[in-house]
Amino acid sequence: MSLDHAPALPTLQPVVLRAVPGQDRVLTPDALSFLAELQTRFGRKLHALMIARERRQERINAGQLPDYLEETAHIRKGMWQAGPIPEALNDRRVCITGAVSRAAMIDALNSGARVYIADFDDATAPGFAAIVAGHENLLDHRDGTLDHTDRNSGETRRMGNDTAVLMMRPRGLHMTEANLVVGGHPICAALFDFGLDIFHNGRALAAQGRGPFYELAKLESHREARLWNEIFGFAEDRTGLAPGSIKASVAIESLTAVFEMDEIVWELRDHVVGLSGSRANLIASHVRTLQAHPAYMLPDRAALEPDRAFLASCTARLVKVCHRRGIHAIAESGDDGEAGLRRQLDDWHDGGCVTDPAQVETARAVFETGIDGPHQIRIPRQHFRIDPEMLFRPHPGEVTEAGLRGNIGLSIRCLAGWLSGHAPARIDGKRSGIATAELCRAQLWNWLRHNAPVQMEDGDIRTLTADWLAELIHLEIVELIEWLGPHTFHRGRYASAARIVQDGCTAANPPDFIAEPGYALLNALD
């Protein structure tokens, strides 16, 4: 492919630090040059935005609680709509999110869902071999040749004739891809994932009328959306796509982004087709954002009902903004089953997103029979004002011994699965991955920071301390060894996961995302 439409900036030679299968096909010289150009053009702006995140958090810690931005009031109050939604994405009543392994992709594409989100972020452990293999799978999807032969049964599965439309979800802007260095620094993982896909597949998907489509993860402000809009415009110019060809949905996964949804849509107005919710990531963001304020400490995960407190207000605002601006509001199904899907329908979402092909039929029964037409954007959600404090009002409830132990066990088990390359995994009957590990770890750190009173099973109240937390983590390890056996325990990376969780709970300044120290180990193990 020739990239000769936009003036080129001087770029440094990219260096691949590791050899993995499929890289000759994926990391071609022209593709690497394009990635290096993306990093050269946008790396400094991206770095400034990450610094802005830190400064904003410092202001919140000092007492400046999240609020609507005064300087963008004209955008929130303005009567405007985003650009048109392409025909291929007009009906998103049932979506499925999944990993980018061959088997997972084929199952999702053939599941009966309208849209499949190929998730390089939360649903994929980002070892370099797995990431490159995922991009090679996207090439086969583009060409209609994606298949998979099971090693045990010998059965071969292929893409069907009527597959879901694919949206690709790059990793977040805060993550790096350590195995591709530009100018002596690792490339931004989001630019790596997006750049490879748009370079290899953008024009072919556009010719088919089925792309290029994306879901943007972990945005925290409209300025970050503005950067993505600049990246999209540059990529369209360099790959010969018409302006506005790239379409994207934005996952609202941070508390600060909740206050800037109108502005995010405005910045991406020629490219955006919807917003989606993400409960686990949003709860973890609530904990991180309000970390310095004990009055906003959250209780056990079991008490965090999606139709209560800040979660209900965030949902209402998402639907309100989307329908006012003419785009889809897509709900995350979680593990609430049919009841949860019906609640999302009643909240006027335009579709639900499941994580398991087995859930698709239930989602279809709810949304395809419950909505008269491809969506319900025509139904406004503007009947009450959502005051700022409603968007971070904590759920009432207690921190219990069972909730404390549950968070310890789930954070270790989810992170261990991720470190082993199995993300997400089915734990206690539910699909749980790195987002769940981060939620549990964030709560543990927050409870410890504020010396949370813990309601014990015997009726007593005990204050959480670092020594007690360490004791409970040790007991969890002992139970895992007894349950799994020593060989499986060590092969499963549980000890490494426990160390990362404990460090992330006891550090004075923990990482914003547990995936950051986890990725350093995952990359070393890969």
Side-chain angles (χ1 to χ4, degrees):
M1 181 185 300
S2 175
L3 301 178
D4 55 2
H5 299 273
L9 291 177
T11 57
L12 297 171
Q13 183 67 29
V15 179
V16 180
L17 300 182
R18 172 172 302 178
V20 294
Q23 73 177 54
D24 290 345
R25 189 176 174 205
V26 173
L27 302 177
T28 63
D30 285 346
L32 289 174
S33 294
F34 181 59
L35 294 180
E37 192 171 6
L38 284 174
Q39 183 67 28
T40 301
R41 283 181 173 267
F42 301 107
R44 289 188 178 181
K45 289 185 178 181
L46 176 59
H47 178 70
L49 289 170
M50 296 303 103
I51 297 298
R53 286 187 181 186
E54 296 176 4
R55 300 291 87 82
R56 181 176 58 239
Q57 186 60 55
E58 290 171 359
R59 294 192 295 271
I60 294 173
N61 289 348
Q64 184 179 323
L65 294 177
D67 201 347
Y68 299 122
L69 301 177
E70 292 183 8
E71 64 268 27
T72 57
H74 64 287
I75 294 175
R76 291 192 302 278
K77 296 176 181 178
M79 299 301 293
W80 54 270
Q81 289 200 328
I85 298 172
E87 180 62 29
L89 290 178
N90 193 43
D91 187 342
R92 294 176 63 195
R93 284 177 290 181
V94 180
C95 305
I96 184 169
T97 301
V100 295
S101 66
R102 295 183 79 81
M105 285 184 68
I106 292 168
D107 288 346
L109 289 165
N110 293 340
S111 66
R114 303 279 182 167
V115 172
Y116 159 51
I117 300 169
D119 186 5
F120 283 78
D121 187 47
D122 287 341
T124 298
F128 195 50
I131 292 294
V132 171
H135 282 286
E136 188 172 24
N137 295 341
L138 291 179
L139 296 178
D140 289 338
H141 165 264
R142 175 200 67 191
D143 298 335
T145 59
L146 186 65
D147 60 22
H148 173 70
T149 300
D150 186 89
R151 290 182 180 179
N152 297 320
S153 67
E155 177 188 1
T156 297
R157 287 176 285 175
R158 295 180 173 83
M159 294 169 54
N161 295 323
D162 186 20
T163 59
V165 174
L166 188 144
M167 300 182 80
M168 185 269 212
R169 176 178 163 116
R171 285 169 283 177
L173 291 171
H174 63 288
M175 295 296 289
T176 59
E177 175 46 69
N179 299 286
L180 181 63
V181 173
V182 179
H185 300 282
I187 189 173
C188 167
L191 295 181
F192 181 91
D193 293 336
F194 166 76
L196 285 176
D197 185 68
I198 195 69
F199 179 87
H200 286 301
N201 307 319
R203 292 173 66 175
L205 292 173
Q208 299 167 15
R210 293 173 67 86
F213 303 142
Y214 299 93
E215 180 175 81
L216 304 181
K218 307 294 189 297
L219 266 69
E220 296 195 3
S221 74
H222 72 284
R223 291 181 176 86
E224 294 176 16
R226 184 183 302 163
L227 176 66
W228 267 117
N229 197 65
E230 293 176 12
I231 293 168
F232 287 167
F234 171 77
E236 286 169 342
D237 183 61
R238 295 292 279 153
T239 58
L241 291 169
S245 296
I246 296 172
K247 298 297 181 181
S249 189
V250 179
I252 301 299
E253 301 175 302
S254 72
L255 192 61
T256 52
V258 168
F259 285 87
E260 300 184 32
M261 284 191 277
D262 276 299
E263 293 90 333
I264 288 170
V265 175
W266 170 260
E267 296 292 349
L268 288 161
R269 57 192 178 276
D270 293 330
H271 295 107
V272 70
V273 294
L275 304 178
S276 62
S278 176
R279 192 190 313 169
N281 283 312
L282 186 57
I283 295 170
S285 176
H286 183 286
V287 174
R288 288 193 303 270
T289 304
L290 301 172
Q291 59 184 265
H293 306 284
Y296 296 100
M297 186 172 66
L298 298 179
D300 284 1
R301 285 183 303 111
L304 304 179
E305 295 291 339
D307 57 350
R308 301 285 187 274
F310 81 96
L311 287 175
S313 297
C314 291
T315 293
R317 182 152 203 272
L318 185 146
V319 176
K320 177 179 179 179
V321 169
C322 287
H323 287 189
R324 189 180 185 200
R325 306 308 180 190
I327 59 176
H328 292 131
I330 305 299
E332 178 192 47
S333 72
D335 289 288
D336 300 333
E338 183 176 353
L341 290 164
R342 292 198 178 280
R343 182 187 65 250
Q344 294 160 2
L345 178 67
D346 293 341
D347 285 337
W348 307 111
H349 285 96
D350 302 291
C353 190
V354 301
T355 59
D356 190 330
Q359 299 170 325
V360 168
E361 284 305 313
T362 301
R364 291 186 65 177
V366 171
F367 277 97
E368 294 187 0
T369 60
I371 298 178
D372 182 18
H375 53 70
Q376 44 192 357
I377 293 173
R378 64 187 181 280
I379 301 176
R381 179 78 184 257
Q382 301 179 28
H383 55 276
F384 67 92
R385 170 177 165 78
I386 301 174
D387 294 322
E389 61 270 16
M390 296 171 65
L391 296 172
F392 50 82
R393 180 180 299 161
H395 290 66
E398 301 173 325
V399 179
T400 69
E401 181 181 5
L404 176 61
R405 288 177 175 269
N407 273 18
I408 291 170
L410 201 54
S411 61
I412 292 173
R413 293 170 67 187
C414 290
L415 182 57
W418 190 81
L419 291 172
S420 299
H422 309 300
R426 186 166 292 279
I427 299 174
D428 298 331
K430 298 180 179 180
R431 280 185 180 260
S432 303
I434 195 66
T436 303
E438 171 54 25
L439 163 57
C440 293
R441 193 278 313 177
Q443 279 200 297
L444 290 170
W445 176 81
N446 196 241
W447 292 342
L448 180 60
R449 173 173 181 165
H450 297 302
N451 302 119
V454 180
Q455 179 68 51
M456 304 296 290
E457 293 179 356
D458 61 8
D460 289 343
I461 301 293
R462 183 173 178 180
T463 300
L464 183 60
T465 65
D467 288 342
W468 185 28
L469 180 62
E471 177 185 337
L472 291 175
I473 291 175
H474 175 72
L475 290 174
E476 176 67 21
I477 291 299
V478 171
E479 291 179 6
L480 284 169
I481 293 174
E482 292 177 350
W483 175 47
L484 298 168
H487 178 69
T488 301
F489 172 84
H490 290 295
R491 187 178 60 187
R493 310 298 182 191
Y494 292 96
S496 298
R499 284 194 296 272
I500 293 173
V501 169
Q502 184 164 355
D503 289 346
C505 292
T506 57
N509 296 299
D512 287 339
F513 299 92
I514 201 170
E516 293 173 1
Y519 176 64
L521 178 58
L522 177 69
N523 193 52
L525 293 170
D526 188 23

